[in-house]
Amino acid sequence: MSFPIICIFLLLSSFSHAAVQDFCVADYTVPDGPAGYACKKPVKVTVDDFVFSGLGIAGNTSNIIKAAVTPAFAAQFPGLNGLGISTARLDLAVGGVIPFHTHPGASEVLIVVQGTICAGFISSDNTVYLKSLKKGDIMVFPQGLLHFQVNAGGTPSLAFVSFSSPSPGLQLVDYALFKNDLSTDLIVATTFLDRAQVKKLKGVLGGTN
Amino acid sequence: MSFPIICIFLLLSSFSHAAVQDFCVADYTVPDGPAGYACKKPVKVTVDDFVFSGLGIAGNTSNIIKAAVTPAFAAQFPGLNGLGISTARLDLAVGGVIPFHTHPGASEVLIVVQGTICAGFISSDNTVYLKSLKKGDIMVFPQGLLHFQVNAGGTPSLAFVSFSSPSPGLQLVDYALFKNDLSTDLIVATTFLDRAQVKKLKGVLGGTN
Amino acid sequence: MSFPIICIFLLLSSFSHAAVQDFCVADYTVPDGPAGYACKKPVKVTVDDFVFSGLGIAGNTSNIIKAAVTPAFAAQFPGLNGLGISTARLDLAVGGVIPFHTHPGASEVLIVVQGTICAGFISSDNTVYLKSLKKGDIMVFPQGLLHFQVNAGGTPSLAFVSFSSPSPGLQLVDYALFKNDLSTDLIVATTFLDRAQVKKLKGVLGGTN
Amino acid sequence: MSFPIICIFLLLSSFSHAAVQDFCVADYTVPDGPAGYACKKPVKVTVDDFVFSGLGIAGNTSNIIKAAVTPAFAAQFPGLNGLGISTARLDLAVGGVIPFHTHPGASEVLIVVQGTICAGFISSDNTVYLKSLKKGDIMVFPQGLLHFQVNAGGTPSLAFVSFSSPSPGLQLVDYALFKNDLSTDLIVATTFLDRAQVKKLKGVLGGTN
Amino acid sequence: MSFPIICIFLLLSSFSHAAVQDFCVADYTVPDGPAGYACKKPVKVTVDDFVFSGLGIAGNTSNIIKAAVTPAFAAQFPGLNGLGISTARLDLAVGGVIPFHTHPGASEVLIVVQGTICAGFISSDNTVYLKSLKKGDIMVFPQGLLHFQVNAGGTPSLAFVSFSSPSPGLQLVDYALFKNDLSTDLIVATTFLDRAQVKKLKGVLGGTN
Amino acid sequence: MSFPIICIFLLLSSFSHAAVQDFCVADYTVPDGPAGYACKKPVKVTVDDFVFSGLGIAGNTSNIIKAAVTPAFAAQFPGLNGLGISTARLDLAVGGVIPFHTHPGASEVLIVVQGTICAGFISSDNTVYLKSLKKGDIMVFPQGLLHFQVNAGGTPSLAFVSFSSPSPGLQLVDYALFKNDLSTDLIVATTFLDRAQVKKLKGVLGGTN
């Protein structure tokens, strides 16, 4: 019976290297590349690399948007690296809003777990796709398009969102325009907004120039 | 002021065609292709193509596995077509089990919304990655690997899963082996299982030969 | 010598089918799919399917933005279909502006052929990448990020842009917000803009509600 | 026991659609797209769509190159469609040659099953990678690079090649230059070849002009 | 005549860097990433990186499955890295079996070189696709689906398989279930198998718990 | 008002990592991978990484082909790394020629900015697609196919080309055949060219053997 055993070991060892590519748990200590973070050595990988508990706690919604986004992207959740998917938690207090934003490299699916959410996206030909979503409804937001979510009820809302990329990114239009040192002149020229409006929002969001 | 208006229309019309590729809502009435279903004409698309309510209702768990999987894949949810993502609802009654299975073309992320779930996957080198997940925990299952979920508590569990493909597929090992007309001889030869065991499970699952 | 000749014909015929996949010239008359338009039969394809003359004529810049974008995307240029690339012409009169916009599914490279252009993009962490470009300079705008171009000189500017997709799409923030029937209440809630500002821009761009 | 049975049917039916995307057997009767041929309805698919017997017969090597290439690409083997792989049989008589060629969209792996083959490819920086391969040796030819195979022994050679695309294409440099109506003037101008050489090879391969 | 010579050198040098991306020969000494192993410096690459001789020797079939799989994946064959293809040798003694398994990230094409092989795969809807293959026949197994190969004749069989990935992985169902420390209780719960059957196979394959 | 401010910082910091994947500016000092060069740390990235001025200067056409190709590929232009696009400048003096060549991994779009260019490509079935292009015309060359460009007028021509890859590569047929140490015997055997012709061109281009 020793014969088979030996062979099975040989057979296995011949594949142990290939297993490297079953997954690629992120190693944040070395440079990353266009496809994602470098891979941790399989021998150092544990089940905890594939489990993330950060979405169990409600985000802090005591802020200007009365909302919070808690990401579980490859940058926070190493097991996702290279697997083409990620997720996040959305907390919307009463009156909470996730302002107009895009995910530069990913499509999004939203699942309402609690409350009512009014969500919408705009297509390249400026058509509005708008819907009021109740518990259990899901909505998809195609890649890169402008979209938003608003709490449409009198109670807090909770939703989980998933993305078609381990690092979908998040670009909030207001933050991109008003939360940096882009000059008021350039913003006025490239958005048609009034100078006073730009100055006001730079004040609220901490932008300069 | 008529000058600008005219031009804006020209400008827009020159892009109205490009919008075709913002999304590709599934048209189930014509042949599909390797990348997914054909696209519905944008003029016929409405917001309801991007919203799915089927995950709001608990699946029927009065069955042999005391569990139910309710998919929202491109085949059920046309707005997902071509967008690289899909989702499903998992209901696990007390003692409920999603038996060993794979998703041939996708990685999976599971979010526990209610109860406690014991989940695990096996890598190509036969290492076991096993974890007991509580409400709010998420776990990722790398593409194509064998995995399972079991209700680990005394109350029903609810989870939502997302996939890195609009059509991830689902292959249950038991159903693949015992729920068709694959001959008992071949199953015995290719699984090392005892003939009696194969016959018994074919009986339970409705397989023949 | 007839032997070889015969064989060469056989050899060739055995590959004539494979040529189908050298290219996939768009057939706009049948449904498209997630990967692009259906393919014209190779026998009907001519060199003119691979040549586009529309970028030789300056776009009409007598409009509100004093600029014009003339696309050569798969929707206008059938030979690009499925080939992962497209292009467009940018004409910027004195004072011309391509307002803040994104291309939902593509990265962009801009080549300045005439004049001086001030271009910039904003990253997900709200950093501004801004540069004044002269004739011959090129700049890359990473996929899906907000960016703009402004004529920075006293003479008209001309640029050609290329995209990493045959159908990159174009979403102008102002048009997405103000050139449709999205309600003023929702815009105010999701942009922090003042109601008067929203009403004013809806007036200029032809939006309602 | 009827309860479980019912549910299992429900469970299965809820996934029967998803199976559409397990594979996409080519339907040659409708237009194809950039990702490949349209999919045959799963109910019409049989195991014979996934099996191809054409590589069991030696190709006819009684020709000018004393060699034959028998393809099993998506155009000949419908089950390959959309699966990212294809294969072909190479027969090389004594003195047989597969002249310099490229596969525009695929990398190639060659497995020598009989005889000895001298194979080589050239990189973009004009480095030559050349090797004499014996039975059981394999060699990889990176995507799109010029390469060739020559029977290096005194007996016929047989090899199987696989490609990283279901439709890799095959472009023989000699056929591309001399087996069509491209004018001798243009060929001379774009190849540095002597006019007499061009005329001679056009004669051999049946080119005109 | 010195003028041209100089320029050609300039021209070449301006492209020498670009050649980096013709191929990416695996460097196993530094961390890999989601797209594969890091690239060896082109100057250190030789033709031997693109040639592999390990498939010329028959695998040792004196084992429990009377079969052997000899891989030429990116982990064994550095030249394949990043090229989307790999291959392996299958040796099946009389009565030899490659038990039910999947390749998590790849489709497979099998070419029978010697003997007769009975091969089959199961689709997501549990349909069986089964065929007896003779010398020269090829069969394709779509990505991630359960499949097997059995020697169907009275003589040893030899086959070569190719995969649509440089690191397709290999997951044998029996090894995944019975060749590790996954508890018997969990296996029974997630496979419907009898406890005695599980214990028996753990004993044969060296599993614990 | 301190509450909101605090939260916005938290919110931003939670995304600062995700921004890593907005772009991947090439770091040439560490090993690259199949998907491209490693990424520079975002904090070290400046706008100059996204701007390239090398295409503003005409290439030196005082050479054997009376033409010059100036690349802006990922190897020269770090900001392109991983973004699926690149570009180059073509200068064609009177009588200038870009000889037959391929880009192993990319499709190309050419834009004529000055002069007249005769361009053509050959498909896998040896069909010629030939066109005389004037200022403003664009032409697409599908991935991996043999093509060429010739100055068709009495004045210098200028064109910009874009590619569907950050590292498209460039393989000139004449250089691949005659500008290295590939033996004259092998070239004769694999091209059908006369020995004298091969020797002559090796002499012109600096090849040996």
PDB file of all heavy atoms in Angstrom, chain B residues 177 181-193 195 198 202 209, chain E residues 97 99-100 118-120 128 130-131 148-150:
ATOM      1  N   LEU B 177     -23.409  14.445  -9.621  1.00  0.00           N
ATOM      2  CA  LEU B 177     -23.081  13.004  -9.584  1.00  0.00           C
ATOM      3  C   LEU B 177     -24.321  12.122  -9.574  1.00  0.00           C
ATOM      4  O   LEU B 177     -24.352  11.072 -10.224  1.00  0.00           O
ATOM      5  CB  LEU B 177     -22.250  12.691  -8.331  1.00  0.00           C
ATOM      6  CG  LEU B 177     -20.856  13.287  -8.247  1.00  0.00           C
ATOM      7  CD1 LEU B 177     -20.201  12.918  -6.914  1.00  0.00           C
ATOM      8  CD2 LEU B 177     -19.989  12.782  -9.398  1.00  0.00           C
ATOM      9  N   ASP B 181     -28.394  10.598 -15.397  1.00  0.00           N
ATOM     10  CA  ASP B 181     -28.329   9.191 -15.829  1.00  0.00           C
ATOM     11  C   ASP B 181     -26.889   8.675 -15.971  1.00  0.00           C
ATOM     12  O   ASP B 181     -26.655   7.679 -16.656  1.00  0.00           O
ATOM     13  CB  ASP B 181     -29.069   9.033 -17.173  1.00  0.00           C
ATOM     14  CG  ASP B 181     -28.447   9.915 -18.261  1.00  0.00           C
ATOM     15  OD1 ASP B 181     -27.457  10.629 -17.981  1.00  0.00           O
ATOM     16  OD2 ASP B 181     -28.965   9.901 -19.392  1.00  0.00           O
ATOM     17  N   LEU B 182     -25.934   9.360 -15.330  1.00  0.00           N
ATOM     18  CA  LEU B 182     -24.554   8.865 -15.365  1.00  0.00           C
ATOM     19  C   LEU B 182     -24.531   7.492 -14.684  1.00  0.00           C
ATOM     20  O   LEU B 182     -25.045   7.340 -13.566  1.00  0.00           O
ATOM     21  CB  LEU B 182     -23.640   9.848 -14.626  1.00  0.00           C
ATOM     22  CG  LEU B 182     -22.133   9.579 -14.660  1.00  0.00           C
ATOM     23  CD1 LEU B 182     -21.584   9.561 -16.080  1.00  0.00           C
ATOM     24  CD2 LEU B 182     -21.398  10.639 -13.838  1.00  0.00           C
ATOM     25  N   SER B 183     -23.944   6.484 -15.337  1.00  0.00           N
ATOM     26  CA  SER B 183     -24.072   5.109 -14.843  1.00  0.00           C
ATOM     27  C   SER B 183     -23.369   4.921 -13.497  1.00  0.00           C
ATOM     28  O   SER B 183     -22.324   5.529 -13.238  1.00  0.00           O
ATOM     29  CB  SER B 183     -23.481   4.129 -15.853  1.00  0.00           C
ATOM     30  OG  SER B 183     -22.063   4.137 -15.734  1.00  0.00           O
ATOM     31  N   THR B 184     -23.945   4.083 -12.668  1.00  0.00           N
ATOM     32  CA  THR B 184     -23.370   3.774 -11.359  1.00  0.00           C
ATOM     33  C   THR B 184     -21.929   3.275 -11.520  1.00  0.00           C
ATOM     34  O   THR B 184     -21.035   3.661 -10.753  1.00  0.00           O
ATOM     35  CB  THR B 184     -24.240   2.725 -10.640  1.00  0.00           C
ATOM     36  OG1 THR B 184     -25.541   3.276 -10.456  1.00  0.00           O
ATOM     37  CG2 THR B 184     -23.641   2.334  -9.298  1.00  0.00           C
ATOM     38  N   ASP B 185     -21.689   2.470 -12.550  1.00  0.00           N
ATOM     39  CA  ASP B 185     -20.322   1.969 -12.767  1.00  0.00           C
ATOM     40  C   ASP B 185     -19.334   3.118 -12.937  1.00  0.00           C
ATOM     41  O   ASP B 185     -18.271   3.153 -12.312  1.00  0.00           O
ATOM     42  CB  ASP B 185     -20.284   1.077 -14.018  1.00  0.00           C
ATOM     43  CG  ASP B 185     -20.981  -0.255 -13.786  1.00  0.00           C
ATOM     44  OD1 ASP B 185     -21.263  -0.570 -12.603  1.00  0.00           O
ATOM     45  OD2 ASP B 185     -21.269  -0.948 -14.763  1.00  0.00           O
ATOM     46  N   LEU B 186     -19.688   4.082 -13.773  1.00  0.00           N
ATOM     47  CA  LEU B 186     -18.782   5.202 -14.017  1.00  0.00           C
ATOM     48  C   LEU B 186     -18.599   6.053 -12.760  1.00  0.00           C
ATOM     49  O   LEU B 186     -17.497   6.504 -12.454  1.00  0.00           O
ATOM     50  CB  LEU B 186     -19.304   6.084 -15.161  1.00  0.00           C
ATOM     51  CG  LEU B 186     -18.702   5.812 -16.539  1.00  0.00           C
ATOM     52  CD1 LEU B 186     -19.380   6.656 -17.607  1.00  0.00           C
ATOM     53  CD2 LEU B 186     -17.198   6.072 -16.518  1.00  0.00           C
ATOM     54  N   ILE B 187     -19.681   6.257 -12.032  1.00  0.00           N
ATOM     55  CA  ILE B 187     -19.565   7.061 -10.804  1.00  0.00           C
ATOM     56  C   ILE B 187     -18.637   6.357  -9.810  1.00  0.00           C
ATOM     57  O   ILE B 187     -17.727   6.976  -9.251  1.00  0.00           O
ATOM     58  CB  ILE B 187     -20.955   7.292 -10.167  1.00  0.00           C
ATOM     59  CG1 ILE B 187     -21.855   8.050 -11.143  1.00  0.00           C
ATOM     60  CG2 ILE B 187     -20.812   8.074  -8.863  1.00  0.00           C
ATOM     61  CD1 ILE B 187     -23.297   8.159 -10.697  1.00  0.00           C
ATOM     62  N   VAL B 188     -18.831   5.050  -9.650  1.00  0.00           N
ATOM     63  CA  VAL B 188     -17.972   4.298  -8.734  1.00  0.00           C
ATOM     64  C   VAL B 188     -16.506   4.411  -9.175  1.00  0.00           C
ATOM     65  O   VAL B 188     -15.607   4.689  -8.377  1.00  0.00           O
ATOM     66  CB  VAL B 188     -18.413   2.809  -8.673  1.00  0.00           C
ATOM     67  CG1 VAL B 188     -17.357   1.964  -7.973  1.00  0.00           C
ATOM     68  CG2 VAL B 188     -19.761   2.692  -7.974  1.00  0.00           C
ATOM     69  N   ALA B 189     -16.301   4.276 -10.487  1.00  0.00           N
ATOM     70  CA  ALA B 189     -14.922   4.301 -11.000  1.00  0.00           C
ATOM     71  C   ALA B 189     -14.271   5.677 -10.836  1.00  0.00           C
ATOM     72  O   ALA B 189     -13.057   5.774 -10.620  1.00  0.00           O
ATOM     73  CB  ALA B 189     -14.910   3.910 -12.475  1.00  0.00           C
ATOM     74  N   THR B 190     -15.060   6.744 -10.898  1.00  0.00           N
ATOM     75  CA  THR B 190     -14.484   8.095 -10.927  1.00  0.00           C
ATOM     76  C   THR B 190     -14.611   8.845  -9.605  1.00  0.00           C
ATOM     77  O   THR B 190     -14.255  10.023  -9.521  1.00  0.00           O
ATOM     78  CB  THR B 190     -15.164   8.928 -12.030  1.00  0.00           C
ATOM     79  OG1 THR B 190     -16.575   8.913 -11.791  1.00  0.00           O
ATOM     80  CG2 THR B 190     -14.866   8.363 -13.408  1.00  0.00           C
ATOM     81  N   THR B 191     -15.159   8.157  -8.575  1.00  0.00           N
ATOM     82  CA  THR B 191     -15.297   8.823  -7.266  1.00  0.00           C
ATOM     83  C   THR B 191     -14.774   7.994  -6.102  1.00  0.00           C
ATOM     84  O   THR B 191     -14.712   8.498  -4.983  1.00  0.00           O
ATOM     85  CB  THR B 191     -16.781   9.115  -6.951  1.00  0.00           C
ATOM     86  OG1 THR B 191     -17.470   7.858  -6.856  1.00  0.00           O
ATOM     87  CG2 THR B 191     -17.406   9.991  -8.016  1.00  0.00           C
ATOM     88  N   PHE B 192     -14.455   6.713  -6.325  1.00  0.00           N
ATOM     89  CA  PHE B 192     -14.021   5.811  -5.247  1.00  0.00           C
ATOM     90  C   PHE B 192     -15.175   5.483  -4.285  1.00  0.00           C
ATOM     91  O   PHE B 192     -14.963   4.822  -3.264  1.00  0.00           O
ATOM     92  CB  PHE B 192     -12.869   6.401  -4.409  1.00  0.00           C
ATOM     93  CG  PHE B 192     -11.655   6.788  -5.178  1.00  0.00           C
ATOM     94  CD1 PHE B 192     -10.620   7.464  -4.535  1.00  0.00           C
ATOM     95  CD2 PHE B 192     -11.496   6.494  -6.532  1.00  0.00           C
ATOM     96  CE1 PHE B 192      -9.469   7.839  -5.227  1.00  0.00           C
ATOM     97  CE2 PHE B 192     -10.349   6.858  -7.210  1.00  0.00           C
ATOM     98  CZ  PHE B 192      -9.348   7.542  -6.559  1.00  0.00           C
ATOM     99  N   LEU B 193     -16.384   5.964  -4.562  1.00  0.00           N
ATOM    100  CA  LEU B 193     -17.505   5.686  -3.649  1.00  0.00           C
ATOM    101  C   LEU B 193     -17.956   4.242  -3.814  1.00  0.00           C
ATOM    102  O   LEU B 193     -17.806   3.644  -4.885  1.00  0.00           O
ATOM    103  CB  LEU B 193     -18.678   6.618  -3.934  1.00  0.00           C
ATOM    104  CG  LEU B 193     -18.458   8.110  -3.660  1.00  0.00           C
ATOM    105  CD1 LEU B 193     -19.654   8.921  -4.143  1.00  0.00           C
ATOM    106  CD2 LEU B 193     -18.208   8.346  -2.171  1.00  0.00           C
ATOM    107  N   ARG B 195     -20.576   1.241  -4.365  1.00  0.00           N
ATOM    108  CA  ARG B 195     -21.761   1.095  -5.225  1.00  0.00           C
ATOM    109  C   ARG B 195     -23.050   1.346  -4.433  1.00  0.00           C
ATOM    110  O   ARG B 195     -23.957   2.060  -4.905  1.00  0.00           O
ATOM    111  CB  ARG B 195     -21.750  -0.306  -5.835  1.00  0.00           C
ATOM    112  CG  ARG B 195     -22.996  -0.735  -6.577  1.00  0.00           C
ATOM    113  CD  ARG B 195     -22.752  -2.050  -7.312  1.00  0.00           C
ATOM    114  NE  ARG B 195     -21.673  -1.879  -8.278  1.00  0.00           N
ATOM    115  CZ  ARG B 195     -21.884  -1.479  -9.538  1.00  0.00           C
ATOM    116  NH1 ARG B 195     -23.097  -1.213  -9.964  1.00  0.00           N
ATOM    117  NH2 ARG B 195     -20.865  -1.328 -10.358  1.00  0.00           N
ATOM    118  N   VAL B 198     -23.644   5.022  -3.880  1.00  0.00           N
ATOM    119  CA  VAL B 198     -24.087   5.696  -5.111  1.00  0.00           C
ATOM    120  C   VAL B 198     -25.561   5.409  -5.366  1.00  0.00           C
ATOM    121  O   VAL B 198     -26.362   6.327  -5.596  1.00  0.00           O
ATOM    122  CB  VAL B 198     -23.231   5.236  -6.316  1.00  0.00           C
ATOM    123  CG1 VAL B 198     -23.791   5.792  -7.616  1.00  0.00           C
ATOM    124  CG2 VAL B 198     -21.775   5.650  -6.124  1.00  0.00           C
ATOM    125  N   LYS B 202     -28.521   8.183  -5.578  1.00  0.00           N
ATOM    126  CA  LYS B 202     -29.320   8.274  -6.810  1.00  0.00           C
ATOM    127  C   LYS B 202     -30.804   8.160  -6.448  1.00  0.00           C
ATOM    128  O   LYS B 202     -31.655   8.888  -6.980  1.00  0.00           O
ATOM    129  CB  LYS B 202     -28.939   7.160  -7.789  1.00  0.00           C
ATOM    130  CG  LYS B 202     -27.776   7.499  -8.718  1.00  0.00           C
ATOM    131  CD  LYS B 202     -27.498   6.344  -9.674  1.00  0.00           C
ATOM    132  CE  LYS B 202     -26.458   6.701 -10.720  1.00  0.00           C
ATOM    133  NZ  LYS B 202     -27.002   7.537 -11.817  1.00  0.00           N
ATOM    134  N   ASN B 209     -29.934   4.720 -13.767  1.00  0.00           N
ATOM    135  CA  ASN B 209     -28.776   3.859 -14.137  1.00  0.00           C
ATOM    136  C   ASN B 209     -27.932   3.443 -12.937  1.00  0.00           C
ATOM    137  O   ASN B 209     -26.708   3.662 -12.935  1.00  0.00           O
ATOM    138  CB  ASN B 209     -27.868   4.551 -15.150  1.00  0.00           C
ATOM    139  CG  ASN B 209     -28.579   4.728 -16.471  1.00  0.00           C
ATOM    140  OD1 ASN B 209     -29.751   4.374 -16.591  1.00  0.00           O
ATOM    141  ND2 ASN B 209     -27.880   5.279 -17.428  1.00  0.00           N
TER     142      ASN B 209
ATOM    143  N   VAL E  97      -7.762   5.905 -14.183  1.00  0.00           N
ATOM    144  CA  VAL E  97      -8.859   6.864 -14.037  1.00  0.00           C
ATOM    145  C   VAL E  97      -8.321   8.213 -13.559  1.00  0.00           C
ATOM    146  O   VAL E  97      -7.523   8.252 -12.626  1.00  0.00           O
ATOM    147  CB  VAL E  97      -9.882   6.372 -12.981  1.00  0.00           C
ATOM    148  CG1 VAL E  97     -10.955   7.439 -12.742  1.00  0.00           C
ATOM    149  CG2 VAL E  97     -10.509   5.062 -13.390  1.00  0.00           C
ATOM    150  N   PRO E  99      -9.993  10.874 -11.669  1.00  0.00           N
ATOM    151  CA  PRO E  99     -11.296  11.000 -11.003  1.00  0.00           C
ATOM    152  C   PRO E  99     -11.942  12.370 -11.255  1.00  0.00           C
ATOM    153  O   PRO E  99     -11.292  13.292 -11.773  1.00  0.00           O
ATOM    154  CB  PRO E  99     -10.946  10.832  -9.520  1.00  0.00           C
ATOM    155  CG  PRO E  99      -9.589  10.220  -9.481  1.00  0.00           C
ATOM    156  CD  PRO E  99      -8.892  10.711 -10.712  1.00  0.00           C
ATOM    157  N   PHE E 100     -13.212  12.481 -10.899  1.00  0.00           N
ATOM    158  CA  PHE E 100     -13.946  13.737 -11.064  1.00  0.00           C
ATOM    159  C   PHE E 100     -13.120  14.906 -10.529  1.00  0.00           C
ATOM    160  O   PHE E 100     -12.625  14.865  -9.393  1.00  0.00           O
ATOM    161  CB  PHE E 100     -15.275  13.679 -10.305  1.00  0.00           C
ATOM    162  CG  PHE E 100     -16.446  13.368 -11.186  1.00  0.00           C
ATOM    163  CD1 PHE E 100     -17.030  12.107 -11.165  1.00  0.00           C
ATOM    164  CD2 PHE E 100     -16.951  14.325 -12.052  1.00  0.00           C
ATOM    165  CE1 PHE E 100     -18.113  11.820 -11.985  1.00  0.00           C
ATOM    166  CE2 PHE E 100     -18.035  14.051 -12.869  1.00  0.00           C
ATOM    167  CZ  PHE E 100     -18.619  12.787 -12.836  1.00  0.00           C
ATOM    168  N   CYS E 118     -12.605   7.148 -22.244  1.00  0.00           N
ATOM    169  CA  CYS E 118     -13.997   7.544 -22.030  1.00  0.00           C
ATOM    170  C   CYS E 118     -13.969   8.802 -21.172  1.00  0.00           C
ATOM    171  O   CYS E 118     -13.437   8.782 -20.058  1.00  0.00           O
ATOM    172  CB  CYS E 118     -14.753   6.426 -21.310  1.00  0.00           C
ATOM    173  SG  CYS E 118     -16.367   6.936 -20.734  1.00  0.00           S
ATOM    174  N   ALA E 119     -14.467   9.897 -21.741  1.00  0.00           N
ATOM    175  CA  ALA E 119     -14.408  11.172 -21.036  1.00  0.00           C
ATOM    176  C   ALA E 119     -15.799  11.767 -20.930  1.00  0.00           C
ATOM    177  O   ALA E 119     -16.660  11.521 -21.784  1.00  0.00           O
ATOM    178  CB  ALA E 119     -13.491  12.134 -21.776  1.00  0.00           C
ATOM    179  N   GLY E 120     -16.024  12.525 -19.858  1.00  0.00           N
ATOM    180  CA  GLY E 120     -17.329  13.145 -19.686  1.00  0.00           C
ATOM    181  C   GLY E 120     -17.254  14.384 -18.825  1.00  0.00           C
ATOM    182  O   GLY E 120     -16.317  14.548 -18.046  1.00  0.00           O
ATOM    183  N   VAL E 128     -25.369  15.174 -18.540  1.00  0.00           N
ATOM    184  CA  VAL E 128     -24.116  14.452 -18.739  1.00  0.00           C
ATOM    185  C   VAL E 128     -23.711  14.517 -20.210  1.00  0.00           C
ATOM    186  O   VAL E 128     -24.542  14.263 -21.089  1.00  0.00           O
ATOM    187  CB  VAL E 128     -24.268  12.969 -18.332  1.00  0.00           C
ATOM    188  CG1 VAL E 128     -22.955  12.222 -18.533  1.00  0.00           C
ATOM    189  CG2 VAL E 128     -24.749  12.856 -16.896  1.00  0.00           C
ATOM    190  N   LEU E 130     -21.028  12.703 -22.409  1.00  0.00           N
ATOM    191  CA  LEU E 130     -20.149  11.543 -22.283  1.00  0.00           C
ATOM    192  C   LEU E 130     -19.768  11.015 -23.664  1.00  0.00           C
ATOM    193  O   LEU E 130     -20.619  10.915 -24.553  1.00  0.00           O
ATOM    194  CB  LEU E 130     -20.902  10.446 -21.515  1.00  0.00           C
ATOM    195  CG  LEU E 130     -20.153   9.171 -21.150  1.00  0.00           C
ATOM    196  CD1 LEU E 130     -19.062   9.461 -20.132  1.00  0.00           C
ATOM    197  CD2 LEU E 130     -21.143   8.156 -20.561  1.00  0.00           C
ATOM    198  N   LYS E 131     -18.489  10.667 -23.844  1.00  0.00           N
ATOM    199  CA  LYS E 131     -18.066  10.176 -25.162  1.00  0.00           C
ATOM    200  C   LYS E 131     -16.859   9.245 -25.023  1.00  0.00           C
ATOM    201  O   LYS E 131     -16.003   9.446 -24.161  1.00  0.00           O
ATOM    202  CB  LYS E 131     -17.679  11.354 -26.058  1.00  0.00           C
ATOM    203  CG  LYS E 131     -17.458  10.987 -27.520  1.00  0.00           C
ATOM    204  CD  LYS E 131     -18.763  10.897 -28.288  1.00  0.00           C
ATOM    205  CE  LYS E 131     -18.550  10.653 -29.754  1.00  0.00           C
ATOM    206  NZ  LYS E 131     -19.839  10.648 -30.489  1.00  0.00           N
ATOM    207  N   PHE E 148     -14.176  14.040 -15.981  1.00  0.00           N
ATOM    208  CA  PHE E 148     -13.312  12.893 -15.662  1.00  0.00           C
ATOM    209  C   PHE E 148     -12.838  12.253 -16.957  1.00  0.00           C
ATOM    210  O   PHE E 148     -13.379  12.529 -18.043  1.00  0.00           O
ATOM    211  CB  PHE E 148     -14.088  11.868 -14.833  1.00  0.00           C
ATOM    212  CG  PHE E 148     -15.253  11.284 -15.561  1.00  0.00           C
ATOM    213  CD1 PHE E 148     -15.094  10.207 -16.437  1.00  0.00           C
ATOM    214  CD2 PHE E 148     -16.531  11.832 -15.418  1.00  0.00           C
ATOM    215  CE1 PHE E 148     -16.163   9.681 -17.132  1.00  0.00           C
ATOM    216  CE2 PHE E 148     -17.611  11.311 -16.122  1.00  0.00           C
ATOM    217  CZ  PHE E 148     -17.422  10.229 -16.985  1.00  0.00           C
ATOM    218  N   GLN E 149     -11.788  11.420 -16.846  1.00  0.00           N
ATOM    219  CA  GLN E 149     -11.308  10.616 -17.966  1.00  0.00           C
ATOM    220  C   GLN E 149     -10.988   9.216 -17.452  1.00  0.00           C
ATOM    221  O   GLN E 149     -10.408   9.075 -16.369  1.00  0.00           O
ATOM    222  CB  GLN E 149     -10.054  11.238 -18.608  1.00  0.00           C
ATOM    223  CG  GLN E 149     -10.304  12.546 -19.342  1.00  0.00           C
ATOM    224  CD  GLN E 149      -9.907  13.784 -18.547  1.00  0.00           C
ATOM    225  OE1 GLN E 149      -9.307  13.692 -17.472  1.00  0.00           O
ATOM    226  NE2 GLN E 149     -10.274  14.950 -19.046  1.00  0.00           N
ATOM    227  N   VAL E 150     -11.372   8.197 -18.235  1.00  0.00           N
ATOM    228  CA  VAL E 150     -11.152   6.804 -17.859  1.00  0.00           C
ATOM    229  C   VAL E 150     -10.568   6.074 -19.062  1.00  0.00           C
ATOM    230  O   VAL E 150     -11.024   6.276 -20.189  1.00  0.00           O
ATOM    231  CB  VAL E 150     -12.487   6.135 -17.458  1.00  0.00           C
ATOM    232  CG1 VAL E 150     -12.271   4.670 -17.116  1.00  0.00           C
ATOM    233  CG2 VAL E 150     -13.142   6.876 -16.302  1.00  0.00           C
TER     234      VAL E 150
END
